[in-house]
């Protein structure tokens, strides 16, 4: 007894807590509703219904469908189509039952009041109003079709003629009202959507313009970085070439002098000679390094000469034979374009030496209209470009760097490669120049003329 009372108390507390749970609330409301309808069925209709078990079976099915509807409602939350499904699944059978059991005089009608009140409670007042609208629509439709001579008309004789006519007119007006309201809403929604679309478009355009500005700022920044690093390389290169080169040459000359003063067969003289040879090698390396850092020949003799000189050294160093197809006369190019082409050539040939295992390389430099195009094609092993150049591939920065340099001056870089057949790197740069480019070109020509 005692434990029973505690259990009962517990269950009440549990129930009180769960009433705040929306799903539980809905379940209880549905269950109460079902029980009420079941009671009405049993107390009022059972004596008059011949196939009582069929009626009970139908009611049970309807009740279970109603309960089952709670499951998707709970999972999918309450979206609009679910609500309508609920209203139709609940109200349609009840409206049919109301119609067949006496229409406006049917005892099922009060259940509608409970039902609609329930919608208002479970969902919202708006949903209750919707359910009321759906009820009137369904009942009116049944009545109208019966009035016009279609469909079952069991309830018709219960309604006086005058009331029927009034109801028909009223229902017609109701339908007209709904139609007008629907049309109004449709157009309002359409114009709302248009307004939203226009606003979104405007926002998109604003963002795009902002993106362009930021892209341009980024490009300028990268350009400055490249220029700054080129200037540093140039300074280091000059330092190497002038200071180191001259210092080593001076030491060599001193050694030479001392060597000549020593007896020809002395060991010291031989050691000095060997030191002098080593210094000659160091000097050569320093010059090479200085050339790589900043090709003086590019500034002094122009791009074609610089390419020829670089390629000759490349061939000697790697044993790869290079075929050159260069313009017969030196094209007049802005210095930044020359430097970009030269840097691309350096990286493309370095890649050939490091990765391609090629025997032959074909280099073409040609000017077509207002564009200059450099192509470096090898007959090496090739590679899958997308795999090796995708951003996080971890395969180095050479190709990305070449591409970035080309893009800085409005150009583009393509890498075409086939496994077993070789690779071609093509860079194309526009020569339509800004005032700045023309000014710099003048400076380059002047430098060449005076250097
Ligand atoms: N001519 C080529 N033939 C075959 N494979 C190549 C060639 N050029 C590039 N590759 C492949 O593409 C990859 C990426 O080249 P990328 O120049 O970007 O980087 P990397 O040469 O590996 O390193 P680094 O940053 O020093 O240039 C290389 O690792 C190589 O596998
Ligand atoms: Mg590389």
């Amino acid at each position: 007894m005692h434990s029973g009372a505690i259990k009962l108390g517990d269950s009440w507390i549990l129930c009180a807590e769960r009433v705040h749970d929306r799903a539980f609330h809905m379940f209880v409301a549905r269950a109460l509703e079902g029980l009420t309808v079941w009671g009405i069925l049993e107390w009022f209709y059972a004596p008059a219904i011949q196939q009582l078990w069929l009626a009970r079976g139908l009611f049970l099915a309807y009740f279970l469908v109603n309960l089952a509807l709670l499951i998707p409602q709970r999972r999918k939350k309450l979206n609009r189509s679910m609500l309508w499904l609920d209203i139709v699944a609940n109200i349609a059978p009840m409206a049919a039952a109301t119609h067949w059991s006496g229409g406006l005089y049917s005892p099922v009608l009060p259940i509608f009041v409970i039902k609609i009140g329930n919608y208002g409670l479970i969902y919202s007042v708006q949903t209750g109003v919707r359910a009321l609208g759906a009820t009137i629509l369904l009942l009116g439709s049944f009545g109208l079709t019966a009035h016009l001579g279609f469909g079952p008309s069991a309830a018709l004789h219960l309604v006086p003629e005058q009331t029927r006519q009034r109801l028909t007119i009223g229902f017609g007006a109701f339908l007209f009202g709904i139609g007008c309201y629907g049309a109004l809403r449709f157009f309002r929604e359409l114009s709302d959507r248009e307004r939203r679309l226009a606003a979104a478009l405007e926002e998109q355009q604003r963002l795009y313009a902002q993106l362009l500005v930021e892209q341009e700022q980024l490009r300028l920044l990268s350009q400055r970085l490249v220029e700054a690093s080129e200037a540093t390389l140039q300074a280091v290169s000059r330092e190497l070439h002038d200071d180191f080169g001259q210092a080593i040459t001076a030491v060599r000359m001193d050694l030479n002098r001392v060597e000549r003063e020593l007896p020809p067969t002395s060991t010291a003289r031989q050691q000095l000679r060997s030191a002098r040879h080593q210094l000659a090698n160091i000097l050569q390396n320093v010059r090479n390094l200085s050339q790589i850092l900043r090709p003086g020949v590019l500034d002094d003799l122009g791009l074609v000469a610089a390419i020829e000189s670089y390629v000759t050294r490349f061939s000697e160093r790697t044993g790869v034979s290079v075929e050159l197809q260069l313009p017969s006369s030196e094209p007049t190019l802005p210095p930044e374009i020359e430097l970009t082409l030269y840097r691309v050539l350096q990286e493309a040939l370095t890649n050939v030496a490091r990765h391609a295992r090629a025997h032959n390389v074909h280099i073409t430099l040609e000017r077509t209209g207002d564009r200059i195009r450099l192509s470096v094609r090898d007959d090496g092993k090739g590679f899958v470009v997308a795999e090796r150049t995708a951003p996080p591939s971890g395969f180095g920065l050479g190709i990305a760097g070449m591409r970035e340099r080309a893009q800085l001056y409005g150009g583009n870089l393509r890498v075409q490669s086939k496994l077993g057949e070789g690779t071609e790197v093509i860079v194309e740069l526009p020569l339509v120049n800004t005032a700045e480019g023309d000014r710099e070109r003048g400076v380059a020509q002047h430098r060449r003329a005076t250097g």
Side-chain angles (χ1 to χ4, degrees), residues 91-105:
I91 289 180
M94 284 190 78
T98 309
H99 176 70
W100 286 318
S101 60
L104 287 180
Y105 300 95

Side-chain angles (χ1 to χ4, degrees), residues 276-290:
R276 208 159 42 81
H277 284 314
Q278 278 178 29
L279 271 182
N281 282 340
I282 291 172
L283 186 61
Q284 191 52 47
N285 286 344
V286 165
R287 284 202 177 126
N288 285 347
L289 192 60
S290 153

Side-chain angles (χ1 to χ4, degrees), residues 141-159:
S141 305
F142 285 134
L144 193 69
T145 46
H147 182 68
L148 295 174
F150 307 104
S153 57
L156 273 190
H157 65 280
L158 292 170
V159 187

Side-chain angles (χ1 to χ4, degrees), residues 151-167:
S153 57
L156 273 190
H157 65 280
L158 292 170
V159 187
E161 177 63 26
Q162 208 184 12
T163 316
R164 249 162 46 196
Q165 270 170 8
R166 275 193 203 135
L167 279 173

Side-chain angles (χ1 to χ4, degrees), residues 185-431:
R185 259 192 87 152
F186 176 73
F187 286 117
R188 200 184 317 144
E189 222 159 84
L190 214 66
S191 70
D192 267 6
R193 200 172 292 177
E194 249 168 43
R195 211 174 317 123
R196 279 200 301 272
L197 221 71
L201 205 71
E202 209 171 290
E203 175 67 5
Q204 216 173 30
Q205 276 167 350
R206 193 186 63 77
L207 286 176
Y208 184 65
Q210 192 179 335
L211 194 78
L212 285 185
V213 170
E214 275 166 18
Q215 218 172 26
E216 180 58 16
Q217 281 171 349
L218 211 67
R219 197 186 67 80
L220 283 175
L221 190 70
S222 307
Q223 197 170 333
R224 288 218 185 106
L225 279 175
V226 167
E227 281 164 7
S229 85
E230 284 295 346
T232 314
L233 289 181
Q234 192 172 15
V236 174
S237 162
R238 202 182 310 118
E239 200 78 358
L240 273 178
H241 185 271
D242 298 354
D243 288 9
F244 280 76
Q246 281 161 15
I248 294 171
T249 310
V251 175
R252 274 185 72 204
M253 279 157 65
D254 285 349
L255 288 179
N256 204 12
R257 208 170 33 249
V258 178
E259 191 188 323
R260 263 188 273 126
E261 281 167 17
L262 289 170
T265 50
S266 70
T267 0
R269 185 170 177 153
Q270 275 162 18
Q271 279 169 345
L272 268 184
R273 187 177 304 140
S274 145
R276 208 159 42 81
H277 284 314
Q278 278 178 29
L279 271 182
N281 282 340
I282 291 172
L283 186 61
Q284 191 52 47
N285 286 344
V286 165
R287 284 202 177 126
N288 285 347
L289 192 60
S290 153
Q291 278 296 316
I292 290 169
L293 290 179
R294 174 76 192 198
V297 64
L298 188 62
D299 294 333
D300 303 337
L301 300 174
L303 181 65
V304 169
I307 291 180
E308 279 167 348
S309 143
Y310 187 80
V311 161
T312 310
R313 269 182 289 127
F314 171 80
S315 263
E316 282 168 9
R317 203 160 29 91
T318 59
V320 176
S321 118
V322 182
E323 197 184 320
L324 277 175
Q325 200 176 321
L326 302 173
S328 46
S329 65
E330 177 77 38
T332 318
L333 304 171
E336 70 275 10
I337 298 288
E338 285 189 339
L339 191 60
T340 304
L341 291 170
Y342 187 80
R343 291 294 187 212
V344 169
L345 176 88
Q346 273 184 317
E347 174 58 26
L349 284 181
T350 306
N351 276 353
V352 171
R354 280 174 62 189
H355 312 294
R357 288 200 218 122
H359 299 294
N360 298 289
V361 172
H362 190 99
I363 297 172
T364 315
L365 179 72
E366 58 185 355
R367 184 179 179 158
T368 45
D370 53 4
R371 291 179 87 77
I372 183 111
R373 179 178 185 277
L374 171 76
S375 141
V376 181
R377 178 160 45 84
D378 68 61
D379 62 352
K381 64 179 180 151
F383 68 108
V384 182
V385 180
E387 262 178 23
R388 307 276 161 125
T389 55
S393 67
F395 274 102
L397 296 170
I399 292 175
M402 288 195 277
R403 179 162 293 133
E404 197 170 306
R405 269 181 189 270
Q407 284 169 353
L408 281 184
Y409 299 103
N412 63 66
L413 181 120
R414 276 173 291 143
V415 182
Q416 296 166 347
S417 188
K418 256 193 181 165
L419 286 176
E421 287 183 26
T423 303
E424 183 172 13
V425 175
I426 304 158
V427 61
E428 270 188 319
L429 297 166
L431 297 173

